[in-house]
Amino acid sequence: MKMFKKLFERDEVHSADVARERLKLMLSQDRLQRQQPDFLPRLQKELVDVIRRYTQSSQDDIQISCHALPQRSQIEVNVSWPRNT
Amino acid sequence: MAKVVVITSGKGGVGKTTSCASIGTALAMQGFRTVLIDFDVGLRNLDLVMGCERRVVYDLINVLSGEAKLSQALIKDKRLDGLYMLPASQTRDKDALTLEGVEEIINELKEDFDYILCDSPAGIERGALLAMYFAEEAVIVTNPEVSSVRDSDRIIGLLDSKTRMAEQGQAVPSRLLITRYNPERVEQSEMMSVKDIEEILAIPLVGVVPESEAVLKASNQGIPVVHDQESDAGQAYSDMTARFLGEERDMRFAEIEKKGFFSRMFGGRR
Ligand SMILES: Nc1ncnc2c1ncn2[C@@H]1O[C@H](COP(=O)(O)OP(=O)(O)OP(=O)(O)O)[C@@H](O)[C@H]1O
Ligand SMILES: [Mg+2]
């Protein structure tokens, strides 16, 4: 069935749907990025540097995320490191 | 007191200048004293679409740099009372274009006019930011095309953050104007529909202007297309302006016009 469809439909027939889906994805990324403060990348880097001065965290052990609350912005920092038992 | 309206888009060539000329003209037809400011320094286009290019003596930059008085630079429309434009300069450097300078001009114009329409240059850089900074209302011109819709979303983001109203914690009321629309291609699923774009951008729709030969013809002649009330685009701009002023109008030209047998046979003009 699918092959038939492919054979008989020209590519552009549903190009509007493709456009819509691509846009939705693009805009959700754009919008997320817009909400983040400009200093976030620098802050992230400095936080990672400071944390790793004290812990044996790898890059992946440090997660920094930014959230927009109704009245405030919030960053969440999650750090873990291997325990020397 | 005047209302400052920016006509903006992000992407270039979508119909900002065409729209600015026709909306301004339609507002003046309704009796509103209206002035159009061309912010596209370096390109200068609005005077061509308005058909007043030969009467440009001074421009926005001359006024900003103190070489001319605002009243000397304003060009009165030859067809309508109460319609003026302030041209951009073609060659001069853009450094004279400062926020303070623009503010002074806008404040002076506010004394005298009901509407101040700012024709934004393309892009999201300085010129576009200056054109939108003092806006109290925005018309976002968008084509049914991925890059245009994406840029419009960026511009909406800038209106929400980089304008005086935004700095005062208010949102600039923004409305969507879809231009170069082709309902036939939408029907064929080759083009995004009005509904698609409205949903994605999530701002209220103020008008749909179809792709139309009348627009080229009008700009060739230097007569804003809204003067051509025989044409689809001219009617669409009248409708759009009426909606902009709060009237309710059917959204013509968003659907395929079902032609009757005769007009199909003989290709009658809309
Ligand atoms: N509805 C329409 N139908 C057909 N052609 C159109 C339509 N609207 C605009 N155009 C054409 O598209 C071109 C670009 O229009 P216009 O100059 O108004 O766009 P713009 O957004 O101001 O461009 P820029 O970003 O360069 O300032 C022009 O040639 C114009 O005639
Ligand atoms: Mg233009």
Side-chain angles (χ1 to χ4, degrees):
Chain A
M1 249 335 258
K2 231 184 182 165
M3 228 172 65
F4 267 93
K5 252 186 148 179
K6 272 209 176 121
L7 272 173
F8 288 109
E9 275 175 8
R10 285 175 304 149
D11 271 355
E12 68 214 21
V13 167
H14 289 110
S15 64
D17 298 338
V18 179
R20 198 178 48 230
E21 292 317 307
R22 284 177 63 211
L23 258 170
K24 280 185 182 159
L25 202 74
M26 250 186 269
L27 293 196
S28 67
Q29 284 165 355
D30 285 356
R31 284 168 184 170
L32 243 143
Q33 222 172 36
R34 270 211 302 269
Q35 286 178 351
Q36 297 183 345
D38 297 338
F39 59 73
L40 192 68
R42 271 175 293 136
L43 177 65
Q44 266 168 331
K45 189 185 169 300
E46 286 184 39
L47 279 175
V48 169
D49 288 348
V50 171
I51 290 164
R52 289 179 71 181
R53 219 179 288 153
Y54 294 92
T55 68
Q56 276 107 50
S57 306
S58 72
Q59 194 78 246
D60 289 347
D61 294 333
I62 305 170
Q63 267 145 26
I64 301 169
S65 51
C66 195
H67 311 281
L69 308 180
Q71 300 292 331
R72 310 179 69 80
S73 296
Q74 182 185 56
I75 62 165
E76 196 178 319
V77 184
N78 255 302
V79 186
S80 67
W81 60 90
R83 232 162 51 179
N84 326 322
T85 40
Chain B
M1 264 297 248
K3 182 155 252 181
V4 183
V5 183
V6 65
I7 319 290
T8 185
S9 70
K11 187 173 161 71
V14 297
K16 291 179 291 298
T17 301
T18 303
S19 300
C20 190
S22 273
I23 299 166
T25 299
L27 286 170
M29 284 170 170
Q30 302 267 321
F32 292 103
R33 285 182 62 79
T34 303
V35 58
L36 317 178
I37 309 179
D38 188 349
F39 275 87
D40 208 343
V41 172
L43 288 173
R44 206 181 106 183
N45 248 320
L46 187 57
D47 52 328
L48 300 180
V49 178
M50 296 295 294
C52 62
E53 69 279 0
R54 280 184 301 175
R55 289 186 294 142
V56 173
V57 182
Y58 296 111
D59 56 49
L60 179 64
I61 300 287
N62 290 134
V63 178
L64 285 167
S65 57
E67 294 160 9
K69 279 192 283 192
L70 182 56
S71 56
Q72 293 175 299
L74 285 179
I75 303 174
K76 191 183 169 307
D77 186 71
K78 55 182 174 235
R79 296 176 196 90
L80 285 166
D81 279 338
L83 180 60
Y84 291 79
M85 77 154 299
L86 182 56
S89 81
Q90 201 147 30
T91 49
R92 292 152 152 277
D93 72 314
K94 306 179 183 186
D95 289 346
L97 206 59
T98 62
L99 207 58
E100 295 72 31
V102 172
E103 178 167 31
E104 228 171 274
I105 289 182
I106 287 184
N107 283 344
E108 203 175 328
L109 291 172
K110 274 193 162 187
E111 305 281 319
D112 233 29
F113 287 94
D114 300 312
Y115 283 97
I116 301 172
L117 304 193
C118 305
D119 181 17
S120 174
I124 51 175
E125 309 295 319
R126 215 173 97 107
L129 293 177
L130 267 176
M132 72 166 65
Y133 187 79
F134 297 101
E136 293 151 328
E137 214 165 312
V139 174
I140 315 285
V141 183
T142 306
N143 291 167
E145 201 191 303
V146 173
S147 57
S148 173
V149 178
R150 184 190 198 184
D151 282 1
S152 293
D153 193 66
R154 287 190 181 147
I155 283 288
I156 294 168
L158 292 175
L159 283 163
D160 285 343
S161 59
K162 300 275 199 274
T163 52
R164 184 159 65 181
M165 277 185 84
E167 284 167 7
Q168 295 168 348
Q170 289 170 289
V172 179
S174 305
R175 283 182 280 178
L176 173 65
L177 175 61
I178 298 175
T179 58
R180 313 202 68 162
Y181 195 68
N182 188 333
E184 282 86 12
R185 301 194 66 188
V186 172
E187 186 98 322
Q188 307 285 317
S189 291
E190 291 174 4
M191 188 180 260
M192 280 184 287
S193 67
V194 169
K195 190 167 148 280
D196 290 341
I197 302 169
E198 232 183 322
E199 249 173 46
I200 290 171
L201 291 178
I203 58 172
L205 180 71
V206 70
V208 178
V209 180
E211 174 76 27
S212 165
E213 284 166 24
V215 172
L216 178 62
K217 193 176 138 209
S219 81
N220 283 342
Q221 297 174 308
I223 305 171
V225 71
V226 73
H227 279 293
D228 179 3
Q229 278 298 308
E230 299 276 291
S231 72
D232 47 2
Q235 292 172 19
Y237 277 115
S238 297
D239 284 1
M240 178 268 163
T241 307
R243 277 185 222 107
F244 179 80
L245 292 170
E247 227 178 276
E248 279 196 31
R249 293 257 176 124
D250 275 349
M251 208 53 85
R252 299 187 276 176
F253 316 111
E255 310 280 333
I256 299 178
E257 197 184 321
K258 301 280 183 264
K259 287 186 179 165
F261 173 75
F262 279 102
S263 64
R264 230 180 317 156
M265 286 294 287
F266 303 114
R269 199 171 165 216
R270 265 181 233 167

